[in-house]
Amino acid sequence: MDIKVLGPGCAKCKKTEKIVRQVVDEMNIDARVEKVTDMLKISEYGVIATPAVVIDGDVKSAGNVPKKKDVILWLGK
């Protein structure tokens, strides 16, 4: 699984990354979590507002910090 957290590095972006990594660890998911800060690369996903979470190329959220339960649903086995 390929997970990208998109954002320039603001507090909300850092919180989003922390939540995603925590869920991946807790669920023991084999995933690569990457933080993308390059605004040009972020715009390639059609994302206007950050933070955003992209899982296997699919934008799951943008413009807000996702709740842990939402991330669990997205990553559900």
Side-chain angles (χ1 to χ4, degrees):
M1 186 176 290
D2 183 47
I3 305 169
K4 292 182 177 21
V5 178
L6 313 179
C10 65
K12 289 182 179 182
C13 298
K14 290 176 183 177
K15 185 172 182 178
T16 299
E17 181 182 13
K18 181 179 178 183
I19 291 169
V20 169
R21 289 186 184 277
Q22 182 180 26
V23 171
V24 167
D25 288 344
E26 288 176 2
M27 294 178 70
N28 198 27
I29 294 174
D30 182 20
R32 188 183 100 181
V33 179
E34 178 185 356
K35 179 74 169 79
V36 179
T37 58
D38 182 319
M39 292 308 287
L40 186 57
K41 288 184 180 181
I42 290 171
S43 68
E44 291 174 3
Y45 289 95
V47 170
I48 298 170
T50 60
V53 177
V54 179
I55 300 174
D56 292 333
D58 186 28
V59 177
K60 296 294 187 178
S61 78
N64 59 41
V65 176
K67 292 181 176 21
K68 185 175 176 180
K69 67 179 183 175
D70 294 327
V71 177
I72 290 170
L73 287 173
W74 301 334
L75 301 179
K77 292 183 176 182

